[in-house]
Amino acid sequence: MTTVLYAAYDAYTQLLEGVIDPRTKDLPLMGGPIPVILLLICFNYFITTLGPALMKDRPPFELKKPMIVYNALQVVVNAWMVHMGMTRIWLTGQYGMGCFPVDRSESPDAMLTTKMVYVYFLTKLSDLTDTVFMVLRKKNVQISFLHQYHHIGMAMAGWVAAALIPGGSHVLFFGTINCFVHTVMYFYYLVTILKPEYRQSTIKRRITELQLAQFVITTIHAIAGMLTPDCEFPTWALTIFIPQDIFMFALFWDFYVKTYLKPKAKTPEGAEPKKSS
């Protein structure tokens, strides 16, 4: 039995050796998918079972100061990612808005985009903290299927991008737009902590509309890539991107309709705009 396990592990490591981008494989959590999968399993268990059980007979934590620090850091990191994406990629004139491949060289530009995709993956992991705060504050009503699905799914997608396609037209395009949306969203959360009266403003609705627009834009961009002859971005990735974006749009649209277009279907007290993927 031990021999079989060793053989299976050896086959697994050899498979990863030929698949994971050599520029990211030695970075933390990038040696293989198992650590991230286990982390996400533990996260899901905590937010659905362990956390609520531990908090059942306890008063909710306030967590105002940690949340201020967390949201401020999220704003800074996501804004930095947008800045880097615009100044080092999209506004340089080197890349068009269409298809371009993953640059797997070790040139300064290629290494920069690789590191940016890895940092993006880390931001998807840091997004999980927001849900932990919800559990500790006993705001479990906010943890919907949409919330769980997109947080867990985006963390895993971030790993796949950093491991297999750390760059290229559609990864960088989606990442830049997504970081912009998160910059706006986390800035709003930061403001509402400091100024609670803004929670009832129309800004929440506008953020949801921004999230919906994100999925429309990225879906069109991915479809355009699929329809482009000789598109150098991996087709298998576009095949995943398109249905994923459409599904996320459907979930967010359902939330938008129930929250803003149906007067009787109000958002539960304390709920906030759903996080984008």
Side-chain angles (χ1 to χ4, degrees), residues 234-266:
T235 303
W236 66 264
L238 295 176
T239 304
I240 296 173
F241 287 175
I242 294 170
Q244 166 68 10
D245 274 359
I246 293 173
F247 182 55
M248 288 304 301
F249 178 87
L251 291 177
F252 272 86
W253 178 252
D254 179 68
F255 167 79
Y256 183 80
V257 169
K258 291 178 179 177
T259 305
Y260 301 114
L261 301 184
K262 292 184 178 180
K264 294 183 180 180
K266 296 182 179 179

Side-chain angles (χ1 to χ4, degrees), residues 2-267:
T2 303
T3 303
V4 173
L5 291 176
Y6 273 118
Y9 178 76
D10 185 59
Y12 168 74
T13 54
Q14 288 186 27
L15 175 64
L16 293 179
E17 186 71 23
V19 172
I20 297 179
D21 193 294
R23 299 168 301 173
T24 60
K25 70 176 182 177
D26 294 326
L27 295 172
L29 297 175
M30 294 308 300
I34 292 179
V36 176
I37 291 173
L38 291 176
L39 175 64
L40 294 176
I41 290 173
C42 291
F43 164 75
N44 193 60
Y45 176 70
F46 177 82
I47 66 173
T48 59
T49 305
L50 180 61
L54 292 174
M55 294 301 298
K56 183 178 180 181
D57 299 317
R58 298 170 182 263
F61 290 95
E62 183 180 355
L63 300 177
K64 182 176 180 179
K65 290 182 179 179
M67 289 176 64
I68 290 174
V69 173
Y70 168 75
N71 284 286
L73 287 174
Q74 289 282 46
V75 170
V76 170
V77 173
N78 280 280
W80 176 80
M81 291 285 284
V82 174
H83 169 74
M84 294 297 290
M86 296 303 295
T87 59
R88 302 299 294 272
I89 300 171
W90 303 112
L91 299 180
T92 62
Q94 298 181 53
Y95 308 97
M97 296 301 292
C99 294
F100 56 86
V102 180
D103 185 349
R104 300 189 182 277
S105 71
E106 294 189 1
S107 68
D109 286 345
M111 293 304 295
L112 174 65
T113 56
T114 298
K115 290 176 182 177
M116 287 175 61
V117 175
Y118 177 69
V119 171
Y120 179 80
F121 160 60
L122 296 181
T123 67
K124 297 303 103 181
L125 292 183
S126 68
D127 285 345
L128 304 179
T129 307
D130 183 64
T131 314
V132 174
F133 285 153
M134 290 178 183
V135 173
L136 297 179
R137 296 170 63 220
K138 303 185 81 167
K139 301 285 186 179
N140 303 68
V141 68
Q142 298 178 14
I143 307 175
S144 62
F145 169 75
L146 167 57
H147 189 94
Q148 286 179 259
Y149 175 83
H150 108 263
H151 274 294
I152 293 173
M154 285 306 298
M156 201 66 237
W159 184 89
V160 171
L164 307 182
I165 43 175
S169 52
H170 292 74
V171 165
L172 298 176
F173 183 81
F174 179 89
T176 304
I177 292 179
N178 189 240
C179 285
F180 171 74
V181 172
H182 276 73
T183 301
V184 175
M185 187 173 63
Y186 280 112
F187 181 73
Y188 167 75
Y189 291 147
L190 178 61
V191 170
T192 57
I193 295 172
L194 300 173
K195 300 285 186 179
E197 60 268 23
Y198 283 99
R199 291 176 185 169
Q200 303 305 319
S201 71
T202 59
I203 298 176
K204 290 194 297 184
R205 178 171 181 168
R206 303 305 168 221
I207 291 176
T208 305
E209 291 169 352
L210 181 63
Q211 292 166 333
L212 288 168
Q214 168 192 223
F215 296 120
V216 172
I217 293 170
T218 55
T219 300
I220 292 173
H221 189 244
I223 292 174
M226 288 287 288
L227 298 177
T228 301
D230 303 320
C231 179
E232 296 180 282
F233 187 80
T235 303
W236 66 264
L238 295 176
T239 304
I240 296 173
F241 287 175
I242 294 170
Q244 166 68 10
D245 274 359
I246 293 173
F247 182 55
M248 288 304 301
F249 178 87
L251 291 177
F252 272 86
W253 178 252
D254 179 68
F255 167 79
Y256 183 80
V257 169
K258 291 178 179 177
T259 305
Y260 301 114
L261 301 184
K262 292 184 178 180
K264 294 183 180 180
K266 296 182 179 179
T267 305

